[in-house]
Amino acid sequence: MQVTRPLRTTAPAALLTATALLALSACGTSEADSTGANGSGSGSGPGKTVEVRIPDPGNSGVLALGKKDGSLDKALGKVGAKVKWTGSAGPFAPAAQAMNADQLDIATGSITSGITSLAQRPGFRFFTAVHPDAAGEGILVRDGSGIESVTDLIGKKVAVNQGGTGEYLLLKALAKAEIPAEKVERVYLRPDQTAAVLNAGQVDAWAVWATYAVAEIGGGKAHFVADGAAIGSDNYSLNAVRTGFAEQHPEIVRALYDYLHEASAREKKDPAAYLNVFTDVGPTAVTGKAKEVQTEFTAQGGTVDPIGPEDIARFEAVAAFYAEQKVTKEKVDVAAHLLDVEKLT
């Protein structure tokens, strides 16, 4: 397997991961310490409000609007809960570590990054599924690069996030094109480091998802040489809950699911209403062509739904693929870490 060590564009990956974990946990420690082992920022007696620790959603999306208009706290208030926003949303791996350390209760990630986290010491379970993003993820190349197909990646450098969506998309694309993985050089980078590296020509392509692809495509600098549909991606987006929290507060997990399900359906119908929730200027704002691209991706995307038998079969296929590609040492039993949210009360 031909793999390149991470290019150091800002800071070592281990340091950045630790920083992300600290950011996620910084707001949750004092509450957990003061209220006992449940880590939810609440007591268990009558009249107590349970605090649900969720990474801050930033400027766009269902959770951002729910934070701004108070609708999320209103929905959770019906089951005696409210949100405690902690750190900021980012890669799933540090969020999984934070849940394992009882410093976070809810996080969002992909099945791909979820599997690599489950292969370690999982202290969480997945309780919702959003179908793979056929339009918003794929293999991104610079306009004018001369790369016109997956086959053209042979002998090239492709940036991926190790064990997550990027590595999966690249390996899946190569397998579909019957190209041995060692024919393409994988460069392991954090997603927030990669745009500058791609645009500087230090890598030839980037296996990536909408969160980072929108700015590049919207800026007229890049395009997908193969999107999720062409790749045949099974890369679901999932919501995870800390296992202890789900055991103690199943009714809150169910209420959160109900909110996310209904709000995601509204977002799909009117994507623009969920962009630039707090500001329409600055680095977190989506403007110009990028706004059009994001709106189109969201309109084509899925909604937050319960995890069904067909979804589980596709999760298991990803787990088997990861084991086959030696991303994990063995096949991870994903089904053992799922919740049937419709049975929670």
Side-chain angles (χ1 to χ4, degrees):
M1 178 176 68
Q2 188 175 11
V3 176
T4 297
R5 289 183 177 275
L7 293 173
R8 294 196 175 183
T9 58
T10 54
L15 176 60
L16 287 167
T17 298
T19 302
L21 176 57
L22 287 171
L24 284 166
S25 62
C27 297
T29 304
S30 61
E31 284 288 345
D33 289 347
S34 66
T35 56
N38 68 2
S40 61
S42 72
S44 57
K48 296 287 186 177
T49 298
V50 177
E51 289 185 333
V52 188
R53 295 167 297 179
I54 304 175
D56 191 279
N59 194 32
S60 297
V62 164
L63 289 177
L65 189 58
K67 177 184 179 181
K68 182 179 181 180
D69 66 14
S71 60
L72 178 55
D73 271 340
K74 182 178 180 180
L76 294 181
K78 296 176 181 178
V79 288
K82 67 177 181 179
V83 176
K84 181 177 179 65
W85 301 107
T86 70
S88 59
F92 183 71
Q97 294 175 38
M99 285 188 286
N100 293 345
D102 190 11
Q103 296 167 336
L104 190 67
D105 300 311
I106 302 292
T108 301
S110 63
I111 185 58
T112 48
S113 57
I115 286 171
T116 51
S117 294
L118 287 173
Q120 300 173 33
R121 186 177 65 87
F124 60 90
R125 295 195 175 195
F126 293 113
F127 66 100
T128 73
V130 178
H131 275 254
D133 187 356
E137 64 179 14
I139 311 298
L140 195 73
V141 299
R142 288 168 291 145
D143 292 350
S145 68
I147 298 173
E148 298 179 358
S149 69
V150 173
T151 303
D152 291 334
L153 296 174
I154 294 174
K156 299 293 197 298
K157 295 180 180 180
V158 181
V160 301
N161 60 313
Q162 186 172 11
T165 293
E167 189 160 28
Y168 169 78
L169 291 171
L170 175 61
L171 291 173
K172 187 76 172 176
L174 295 177
K176 186 172 183 179
E178 300 183 345
I179 299 170
E182 62 270 17
K183 294 289 187 180
V184 175
E185 187 174 350
R186 272 171 272 171
V187 180
Y188 290 139
L189 289 171
R190 284 175 55 97
D192 56 2
Q193 295 176 309
T194 309
V197 177
L198 176 71
N199 290 318
Q202 293 176 273
V203 295
D204 302 291
W206 181 11
V208 68
W209 59 102
T211 301
Y212 301 96
V214 164
E216 301 306 305
I217 296 172
K221 297 177 288 186
H223 63 277
F224 285 134
V225 71
D227 60 15
I231 292 169
S233 172
D234 281 324
N235 187 39
Y236 280 73
S237 175
L238 308 174
N239 280 296
V241 58
R242 184 171 59 82
T243 302
F245 188 91
E247 292 171 347
Q248 294 171 15
H249 307 294
E251 74 288 351
I252 297 176
V253 180
R254 175 57 190 264
L256 178 60
Y257 159 72
D258 288 339
Y259 179 87
L260 294 172
H261 175 70
E262 294 168 8
S264 66
R266 292 193 295 269
E267 182 187 30
K268 183 176 172 66
K269 292 180 180 178
D270 185 14
Y274 292 79
L275 294 177
N276 303 330
V277 171
F278 291 97
T279 179
D280 57 6
V281 297
T284 65
V286 184
T287 59
K289 181 64 176 179
K291 187 173 182 179
E292 295 178 23
V293 172
Q294 181 63 74
T295 299
E296 182 179 343
F297 285 168
T298 303
Q300 295 180 60
T303 56
V304 176
D305 295 315
I307 299 170
E310 292 183 3
D311 304 320
I312 296 173
R314 293 173 73 177
F315 297 170
E316 296 293 348
V318 176
F321 181 73
Y322 259 23
E324 175 189 322
Q325 296 289 327
K326 304 188 185 309
V327 177
T328 56
K329 293 181 179 179
E330 57 187 10
K331 182 178 179 293
V332 174
D333 183 5
V334 180
H337 303 280
L338 304 178
L339 288 178
D340 186 343
V341 73
E342 293 183 303
K343 292 183 178 178
L344 299 181
T345 56

